[in-house]
Amino acid sequence: MFRRKLTALDYHDPNGFDCSDETQFRNCIVWLEDQKIRHYKIEDRGNLRNIPSSDWPKAYEKYLLDLNCPFGVQEKKEALDWLLGLAVRYEYGDNVEKYKNCQPLDTSGNSDKAVDPLVNLDNNSPDFKAGVTALANILKIQRHDDYLVMLKAIRILIQERLSPEAIAKASQNREGVPVALDKHILGFDTGDATLNEAAQILRLLHIEELRELQTKINEAIVAVQAIIADPKTDHRLGKVGR
């Protein structure tokens, strides 16, 4: 599943690499640090280079933490995919002039025809699953057995929270509306006018928070319904449903 990135990085055996082989995995991590990432000074790479050591997992865990990797040692494939992506980014940064004029390959034979990148998407491929899982972890989205459902959740989050319009709206300062406290009945008397006003303000703020909570609940219900209310139609049976 890592063949394309390993090939782009000129790894010596991208086709034969087996992530489940612990020795190959450790050698690949050391190669990435030595040749591409170079986060540590040469003299500080000793623990990571000591592949046969029983303490290597601890050195690898520290390495991931030092790189601020969003994945841990238990998420083996996701962490390696993230490291490969980081190495590709550094490789491009070191050779900008070499890569900036590269032209994409025309696989369709018609450069004027727009190609949908999702047409040939294999949602059962390890690359797809690792990529969706990585995005879900970064965006703090709950994992789901169906990776397409997770992809839909990622799309919804990006559209609603990370679009330029959403970011611009969130950055705007919200101006309050003047409220006449004497028009709102508190319902009890503390015996102190100042305390009564403070209690009225707290009650109004609480009501506003409840309204916001209700809005979020409604949005959550709509989002859940959009996911589960997707019936499969079987025309042979002449009915809708699974």
Side-chain angles (χ1 to χ4, degrees), residues 3-241:
R3 180 175 55 83
R4 287 185 297 173
K5 291 180 180 178
L6 289 172
T7 301
L9 293 169
D10 293 327
Y11 190 66
H12 63 278
D13 187 16
N15 294 319
F17 176 73
D18 182 6
C19 181
S20 62
D21 187 302
E22 187 65 21
T23 301
Q24 289 191 42
F25 175 77
R26 295 185 181 187
N27 276 309
C28 182
I29 297 299
V30 174
W31 180 84
L32 285 173
E33 169 59 19
D34 282 342
Q35 302 297 324
K36 304 298 178 181
I37 299 176
R38 301 188 290 275
H39 180 73
Y40 290 155
K41 295 179 180 179
I42 295 177
E43 58 270 21
D44 296 332
R45 300 175 190 170
N47 292 334
L48 198 63
R49 286 175 170 175
N50 190 10
I51 293 174
S53 173
S54 59
D55 292 330
W56 191 90
K58 295 181 180 179
Y60 176 52
E61 182 177 14
K62 181 179 183 301
Y63 181 59
L64 294 179
L65 290 174
D66 291 341
L67 288 173
N68 294 319
C69 177
F71 304 105
V73 293
Q74 301 301 326
E75 298 166 301
K76 195 172 183 179
K77 293 182 178 180
E78 291 87 348
L80 178 57
D81 186 67
W82 186 88
L83 290 173
L84 288 171
L86 180 66
V88 169
R89 181 148 44 95
Y90 286 164
E91 177 72 10
Y92 174 80
D94 292 341
N95 300 277
V96 175
E97 295 299 324
K98 175 181 176 182
Y99 296 112
K100 71 177 184 179
N101 294 323
C102 289
Q103 298 296 324
L105 295 176
D106 182 12
T107 57
S108 64
N110 185 2
S111 58
D112 296 331
K113 184 178 179 181
V115 178
D116 186 352
L118 300 180
V119 169
N120 298 318
L121 182 64
D122 181 7
N123 58 4
N124 292 317
S125 72
D127 280 336
F128 173 79
K129 293 181 178 180
V132 171
T133 302
L135 282 174
N137 288 337
I138 292 172
L139 297 175
K140 307 299 182 183
I141 292 177
Q142 181 67 36
R143 294 196 181 189
H144 193 278
D145 292 336
D146 190 336
Y147 287 86
L148 287 177
V149 171
M150 281 209 304
L151 186 60
K152 287 182 179 179
I154 291 169
R155 175 182 60 81
I156 293 172
L157 177 63
I158 291 175
Q159 287 179 338
E160 295 185 352
R161 300 291 181 86
L162 301 179
S163 65
E165 295 79 9
I167 294 174
K169 183 178 179 181
S171 62
Q172 293 176 353
N173 294 326
R174 297 177 59 186
E175 296 183 0
V177 178
V179 175
L181 294 179
D182 56 348
K183 294 183 179 180
H184 296 273
I185 300 174
L186 179 59
F188 61 89
D189 186 7
T190 65
D192 186 290
T194 303
L195 288 178
N196 285 343
E197 287 188 358
Q200 284 178 307
I201 294 171
L202 289 174
R203 170 165 286 188
L204 291 173
L205 290 174
H206 179 59
I207 292 173
E208 178 65 20
E209 289 178 349
L210 289 177
R211 288 174 177 170
E212 292 181 358
L213 177 61
Q214 184 62 56
T215 300
K216 292 179 180 179
I217 291 174
N218 292 339
E219 291 175 351
I221 292 174
V222 172
V224 171
Q225 288 176 339
I227 293 175
I228 64 176
D230 184 17
K232 307 297 182 182
T233 302
D234 192 337
H235 298 288
R236 296 171 300 174
L237 301 177
K239 66 178 182 178
V240 177

